[in-house]
Amino acid sequence: QVQLVESGGGLVQPGGSLRLSCAASGSRFRINAMGWYRQAPGKEREMVARIFDSGTTIYADFLKDRFTISRDNAKNTVYLQMNSLKPEDTAVYYCKLTTYNNLIYWGKGTLVTVSS
């Protein structure tokens, strides 16, 4: 079993920055990819960014280079640096881990609120 613990969410003003963290722990597993998804009120969950074991990263088109995903393999931790935040970035951000044998795990989410 794998546990994912997200942190770093909170209230920030438009134009501000936040850094989310997601630490994975538990039974032995090989990570294929870790990523961040978000779900705003009344909307479906959407992919924000993913980073693969190879180091390859993919981002949602709507980000326009405002967010950066990174990973510390030694700590099994993935980060999401979010800059130039907008009110429309307000959502619960979820961490997702995919193993090489296609098991998927989700964190419980961390709330990001962008408001003045």
Side-chain angles (χ1 to χ4, degrees):
Q1 191 69 14
V2 174
Q3 293 81 41
L4 300 175
V5 178
E6 301 113 328
S7 61
L11 174 64
V12 63
Q13 291 187 344
S17 298
L18 281 177
R19 187 192 193 209
L20 305 183
S21 299
C22 172
S25 63
S27 303
R28 290 187 62 182
F29 52 90
R30 289 189 62 205
I31 300 173
N32 181 21
M34 294 185 76
W36 292 95
Y37 291 68
R38 71 184 187 184
Q39 188 166 17
K43 295 187 177 181
E44 294 186 353
R45 191 173 298 188
E46 60 183 356
M47 191 274 290
V48 176
R50 298 185 75 192
I51 184 165
F52 293 84
D53 191 28
S54 63
T56 300
T57 57
I58 57 173
Y59 293 91
D61 290 339
F62 59 77
L63 289 180
K64 298 186 185 297
D65 300 326
R66 295 186 295 121
F67 294 5
T68 302
I69 190 169
S70 60
R71 180 171 159 181
D72 185 334
N73 291 332
K75 297 181 179 180
N76 285 333
T77 299
V78 65
Y79 305 96
L80 186 68
Q81 178 66 43
M82 305 187 294
N83 298 326
S84 303
L85 283 161
K86 304 175 181 180
E88 51 263 44
D89 293 319
T90 295
V92 178
Y93 284 71
Y94 296 92
C95 178
K96 176 184 177 182
L97 183 152
T98 306
T99 67
Y100 269 102
N101 55 345
N102 293 321
L103 296 176
I104 295 173
Y105 300 91
W106 290 94
K108 294 182 179 180
T110 184
L111 177 62
V112 172
T113 303
V114 184
S115 175
S116 55

PDB file of all heavy atoms in Angstrom, residues 42-62:
ATOM      1  N   GLY A  42     -17.604  22.335  -8.879  1.00  0.00           N
ATOM      2  CA  GLY A  42     -18.505  22.190 -10.010  1.00  0.00           C
ATOM      3  C   GLY A  42     -17.846  21.749 -11.298  1.00  0.00           C
ATOM      4  O   GLY A  42     -18.513  21.682 -12.338  1.00  0.00           O
ATOM      5  N   LYS A  43     -16.553  21.447 -11.241  1.00  0.00           N
ATOM      6  CA  LYS A  43     -15.840  21.051 -12.453  1.00  0.00           C
ATOM      7  C   LYS A  43     -15.223  19.673 -12.280  1.00  0.00           C
ATOM      8  O   LYS A  43     -15.071  19.174 -11.160  1.00  0.00           O
ATOM      9  CB  LYS A  43     -14.751  22.069 -12.791  1.00  0.00           C
ATOM     10  CG  LYS A  43     -15.288  23.444 -13.159  1.00  0.00           C
ATOM     11  CD  LYS A  43     -14.177  24.352 -13.652  1.00  0.00           C
ATOM     12  CE  LYS A  43     -14.705  25.703 -14.096  1.00  0.00           C
ATOM     13  NZ  LYS A  43     -13.618  26.586 -14.611  1.00  0.00           N
ATOM     14  N   GLU A  44     -14.855  19.079 -13.385  1.00  0.00           N
ATOM     15  CA  GLU A  44     -14.210  17.780 -13.347  1.00  0.00           C
ATOM     16  C   GLU A  44     -12.725  17.927 -12.983  1.00  0.00           C
ATOM     17  O   GLU A  44     -12.118  18.979 -13.182  1.00  0.00           O
ATOM     18  CB  GLU A  44     -14.347  17.085 -14.706  1.00  0.00           C
ATOM     19  CG  GLU A  44     -15.773  16.725 -15.065  1.00  0.00           C
ATOM     20  CD  GLU A  44     -15.858  15.902 -16.337  1.00  0.00           C
ATOM     21  OE1 GLU A  44     -14.820  15.733 -17.000  1.00  0.00           O
ATOM     22  OE2 GLU A  44     -16.955  15.413 -16.654  1.00  0.00           O
ATOM     23  N   ARG A  45     -12.179  16.852 -12.469  1.00  0.00           N
ATOM     24  CA  ARG A  45     -10.764  16.856 -12.156  1.00  0.00           C
ATOM     25  C   ARG A  45      -9.960  16.905 -13.463  1.00  0.00           C
ATOM     26  O   ARG A  45     -10.284  16.217 -14.433  1.00  0.00           O
ATOM     27  CB  ARG A  45     -10.399  15.608 -11.363  1.00  0.00           C
ATOM     28  CG  ARG A  45      -9.006  15.627 -10.758  1.00  0.00           C
ATOM     29  CD  ARG A  45      -8.770  14.441  -9.850  1.00  0.00           C
ATOM     30  NE  ARG A  45      -9.687  14.451  -8.708  1.00  0.00           N
ATOM     31  CZ  ARG A  45      -9.587  13.602  -7.690  1.00  0.00           C
ATOM     32  NH1 ARG A  45      -8.611  12.686  -7.675  1.00  0.00           N
ATOM     33  NH2 ARG A  45     -10.451  13.661  -6.693  1.00  0.00           N
ATOM     34  N   GLU A  46      -8.901  17.722 -13.465  1.00  0.00           N
ATOM     35  CA  GLU A  46      -8.093  17.869 -14.669  1.00  0.00           C
ATOM     36  C   GLU A  46      -6.617  17.745 -14.345  1.00  0.00           C
ATOM     37  O   GLU A  46      -6.180  18.061 -13.233  1.00  0.00           O
ATOM     38  CB  GLU A  46      -8.360  19.230 -15.330  1.00  0.00           C
ATOM     39  CG  GLU A  46      -8.048  20.429 -14.461  1.00  0.00           C
ATOM     40  CD  GLU A  46      -8.405  21.746 -15.127  1.00  0.00           C
ATOM     41  OE1 GLU A  46      -8.831  21.759 -16.294  1.00  0.00           O
ATOM     42  OE2 GLU A  46      -8.233  22.786 -14.461  1.00  0.00           O
ATOM     43  N   MET A  47      -5.862  17.290 -15.317  1.00  0.00           N
ATOM     44  CA  MET A  47      -4.424  17.143 -15.157  1.00  0.00           C
ATOM     45  C   MET A  47      -3.764  18.510 -15.177  1.00  0.00           C
ATOM     46  O   MET A  47      -4.084  19.352 -16.017  1.00  0.00           O
ATOM     47  CB  MET A  47      -3.853  16.257 -16.256  1.00  0.00           C
ATOM     48  CG  MET A  47      -2.418  15.822 -16.059  1.00  0.00           C
ATOM     49  SD  MET A  47      -1.168  16.990 -16.678  1.00  0.00           S
ATOM     50  CE  MET A  47      -1.406  16.838 -18.444  1.00  0.00           C
ATOM     51  N   VAL A  48      -2.833  18.719 -14.270  1.00  0.00           N
ATOM     52  CA  VAL A  48      -2.055  19.956 -14.234  1.00  0.00           C
ATOM     53  C   VAL A  48      -0.654  19.697 -14.788  1.00  0.00           C
ATOM     54  O   VAL A  48      -0.217  20.364 -15.716  1.00  0.00           O
ATOM     55  CB  VAL A  48      -1.966  20.504 -12.801  1.00  0.00           C
ATOM     56  CG1 VAL A  48      -1.063  21.731 -12.754  1.00  0.00           C
ATOM     57  CG2 VAL A  48      -3.360  20.841 -12.269  1.00  0.00           C
ATOM     58  N   ALA A  49       0.031  18.723 -14.208  1.00  0.00           N
ATOM     59  CA  ALA A  49       1.393  18.409 -14.641  1.00  0.00           C
ATOM     60  C   ALA A  49       1.748  17.005 -14.188  1.00  0.00           C
ATOM     61  O   ALA A  49       1.242  16.531 -13.170  1.00  0.00           O
ATOM     62  CB  ALA A  49       2.391  19.410 -14.069  1.00  0.00           C
ATOM     63  N   ARG A  50       2.625  16.362 -14.966  1.00  0.00           N
ATOM     64  CA  ARG A  50       3.107  15.037 -14.608  1.00  0.00           C
ATOM     65  C   ARG A  50       4.601  14.975 -14.850  1.00  0.00           C
ATOM     66  O   ARG A  50       5.123  15.652 -15.748  1.00  0.00           O
ATOM     67  CB  ARG A  50       2.420  13.940 -15.435  1.00  0.00           C
ATOM     68  CG  ARG A  50       0.924  13.847 -15.252  1.00  0.00           C
ATOM     69  CD  ARG A  50       0.376  12.668 -16.022  1.00  0.00           C
ATOM     70  NE  ARG A  50       0.680  11.402 -15.367  1.00  0.00           N
ATOM     71  CZ  ARG A  50       0.525  10.216 -15.931  1.00  0.00           C
ATOM     72  NH1 ARG A  50       0.101  10.123 -17.174  1.00  0.00           N
ATOM     73  NH2 ARG A  50       0.790   9.113 -15.266  1.00  0.00           N
ATOM     74  N   ILE A  51       5.281  14.143 -14.063  1.00  0.00           N
ATOM     75  CA  ILE A  51       6.701  13.909 -14.272  1.00  0.00           C
ATOM     76  C   ILE A  51       6.948  12.409 -14.204  1.00  0.00           C
ATOM     77  O   ILE A  51       6.477  11.735 -13.287  1.00  0.00           O
ATOM     78  CB  ILE A  51       7.566  14.682 -13.254  1.00  0.00           C
ATOM     79  CG1 ILE A  51       9.050  14.496 -13.553  1.00  0.00           C
ATOM     80  CG2 ILE A  51       7.238  14.304 -11.811  1.00  0.00           C
ATOM     81  CD1 ILE A  51       9.947  15.501 -12.818  1.00  0.00           C
ATOM     82  N   PHE A  52       7.660  11.910 -15.202  1.00  0.00           N
ATOM     83  CA  PHE A  52       7.887  10.482 -15.316  1.00  0.00           C
ATOM     84  C   PHE A  52       9.258  10.105 -14.753  1.00  0.00           C
ATOM     85  O   PHE A  52      10.123  10.965 -14.530  1.00  0.00           O
ATOM     86  CB  PHE A  52       7.765  10.054 -16.773  1.00  0.00           C
ATOM     87  CG  PHE A  52       6.366  10.180 -17.297  1.00  0.00           C
ATOM     88  CD1 PHE A  52       5.878  11.390 -17.777  1.00  0.00           C
ATOM     89  CD2 PHE A  52       5.516   9.088 -17.287  1.00  0.00           C
ATOM     90  CE1 PHE A  52       4.581  11.504 -18.243  1.00  0.00           C
ATOM     91  CE2 PHE A  52       4.224   9.193 -17.756  1.00  0.00           C
ATOM     92  CZ  PHE A  52       3.746  10.400 -18.227  1.00  0.00           C
ATOM     93  N   ASP A  53       9.423   8.819 -14.537  1.00  0.00           N
ATOM     94  CA  ASP A  53      10.677   8.306 -13.995  1.00  0.00           C
ATOM     95  C   ASP A  53      11.855   8.730 -14.856  1.00  0.00           C
ATOM     96  O   ASP A  53      12.959   8.964 -14.366  1.00  0.00           O
ATOM     97  CB  ASP A  53      10.589   6.786 -13.900  1.00  0.00           C
ATOM     98  CG  ASP A  53      11.734   6.182 -13.119  1.00  0.00           C
ATOM     99  OD1 ASP A  53      12.277   6.870 -12.229  1.00  0.00           O
ATOM    100  OD2 ASP A  53      12.091   5.022 -13.386  1.00  0.00           O
ATOM    101  N   SER A  54      11.624   8.864 -16.139  1.00  0.00           N
ATOM    102  CA  SER A  54      12.673   9.269 -17.073  1.00  0.00           C
ATOM    103  C   SER A  54      13.050  10.738 -16.920  1.00  0.00           C
ATOM    104  O   SER A  54      14.078  11.174 -17.442  1.00  0.00           O
ATOM    105  CB  SER A  54      12.193   9.036 -18.508  1.00  0.00           C
ATOM    106  OG  SER A  54      11.063   9.848 -18.782  1.00  0.00           O
ATOM    107  N   GLY A  55      12.212  11.482 -16.214  1.00  0.00           N
ATOM    108  CA  GLY A  55      12.423  12.921 -16.088  1.00  0.00           C
ATOM    109  C   GLY A  55      11.561  13.742 -17.029  1.00  0.00           C
ATOM    110  O   GLY A  55      11.499  14.967 -16.915  1.00  0.00           O
ATOM    111  N   THR A  56      10.910  13.070 -17.951  1.00  0.00           N
ATOM    112  CA  THR A  56      10.016  13.766 -18.872  1.00  0.00           C
ATOM    113  C   THR A  56       8.863  14.402 -18.114  1.00  0.00           C
ATOM    114  O   THR A  56       8.310  13.806 -17.190  1.00  0.00           O
ATOM    115  CB  THR A  56       9.451  12.778 -19.903  1.00  0.00           C
ATOM    116  OG1 THR A  56      10.531  12.197 -20.631  1.00  0.00           O
ATOM    117  CG2 THR A  56       8.499  13.468 -20.859  1.00  0.00           C
ATOM    118  N   THR A  57       8.538  15.619 -18.509  1.00  0.00           N
ATOM    119  CA  THR A  57       7.426  16.335 -17.885  1.00  0.00           C
ATOM    120  C   THR A  57       6.393  16.711 -18.936  1.00  0.00           C
ATOM    121  O   THR A  57       6.729  16.958 -20.095  1.00  0.00           O
ATOM    122  CB  THR A  57       7.899  17.607 -17.179  1.00  0.00           C
ATOM    123  OG1 THR A  57       8.573  18.444 -18.120  1.00  0.00           O
ATOM    124  CG2 THR A  57       8.848  17.282 -16.043  1.00  0.00           C
ATOM    125  N   ILE A  58       5.151  16.736 -18.518  1.00  0.00           N
ATOM    126  CA  ILE A  58       4.086  17.237 -19.375  1.00  0.00           C
ATOM    127  C   ILE A  58       3.226  18.181 -18.544  1.00  0.00           C
ATOM    128  O   ILE A  58       3.067  17.993 -17.337  1.00  0.00           O
ATOM    129  CB  ILE A  58       3.223  16.106 -19.987  1.00  0.00           C
ATOM    130  CG1 ILE A  58       2.616  15.229 -18.893  1.00  0.00           C
ATOM    131  CG2 ILE A  58       4.043  15.271 -20.947  1.00  0.00           C
ATOM    132  CD1 ILE A  58       1.636  14.207 -19.441  1.00  0.00           C
ATOM    133  N   TYR A  59       2.693  19.183 -19.220  1.00  0.00           N
ATOM    134  CA  TYR A  59       1.890  20.208 -18.568  1.00  0.00           C
ATOM    135  C   TYR A  59       0.595  20.430 -19.322  1.00  0.00           C
ATOM    136  O   TYR A  59       0.527  20.259 -20.539  1.00  0.00           O
ATOM    137  CB  TYR A  59       2.664  21.531 -18.523  1.00  0.00           C
ATOM    138  CG  TYR A  59       3.883  21.525 -17.649  1.00  0.00           C
ATOM    139  CD1 TYR A  59       5.136  21.196 -18.162  1.00  0.00           C
ATOM    140  CD2 TYR A  59       3.790  21.853 -16.289  1.00  0.00           C
ATOM    141  CE1 TYR A  59       6.256  21.190 -17.359  1.00  0.00           C
ATOM    142  CE2 TYR A  59       4.914  21.858 -15.480  1.00  0.00           C
ATOM    143  CZ  TYR A  59       6.141  21.519 -16.025  1.00  0.00           C
ATOM    144  OH  TYR A  59       7.255  21.525 -15.212  1.00  0.00           O
ATOM    145  N   ALA A  60      -0.406  20.857 -18.578  1.00  0.00           N
ATOM    146  CA  ALA A  60      -1.647  21.242 -19.216  1.00  0.00           C
ATOM    147  C   ALA A  60      -1.426  22.511 -20.032  1.00  0.00           C
ATOM    148  O   ALA A  60      -0.657  23.390 -19.631  1.00  0.00           O
ATOM    149  CB  ALA A  60      -2.718  21.489 -18.159  1.00  0.00           C
ATOM    150  N   ASP A  61      -2.080  22.590 -21.141  1.00  0.00           N
ATOM    151  CA  ASP A  61      -1.890  23.732 -22.042  1.00  0.00           C
ATOM    152  C   ASP A  61      -2.254  25.064 -21.385  1.00  0.00           C
ATOM    153  O   ASP A  61      -1.647  26.102 -21.683  1.00  0.00           O
ATOM    154  CB  ASP A  61      -2.727  23.545 -23.308  1.00  0.00           C
ATOM    155  CG  ASP A  61      -2.193  22.431 -24.183  1.00  0.00           C
ATOM    156  OD1 ASP A  61      -1.003  22.081 -24.030  1.00  0.00           O
ATOM    157  OD2 ASP A  61      -2.957  21.908 -25.006  1.00  0.00           O
ATOM    158  N   PHE A  62      -3.229  25.036 -20.482  1.00  0.00           N
ATOM    159  CA  PHE A  62      -3.721  26.295 -19.932  1.00  0.00           C
ATOM    160  C   PHE A  62      -2.724  26.950 -18.975  1.00  0.00           C
ATOM    161  O   PHE A  62      -2.887  28.098 -18.582  1.00  0.00           O
ATOM    162  CB  PHE A  62      -5.053  26.086 -19.205  1.00  0.00           C
ATOM    163  CG  PHE A  62      -5.007  25.096 -18.068  1.00  0.00           C
ATOM    164  CD1 PHE A  62      -4.464  25.440 -16.839  1.00  0.00           C
ATOM    165  CD2 PHE A  62      -5.496  23.816 -18.226  1.00  0.00           C
ATOM    166  CE1 PHE A  62      -4.418  24.538 -15.797  1.00  0.00           C
ATOM    167  CE2 PHE A  62      -5.454  22.888 -17.192  1.00  0.00           C
ATOM    168  CZ  PHE A  62      -4.923  23.261 -15.972  1.00  0.00           C
TER     169      PHE A  62
END
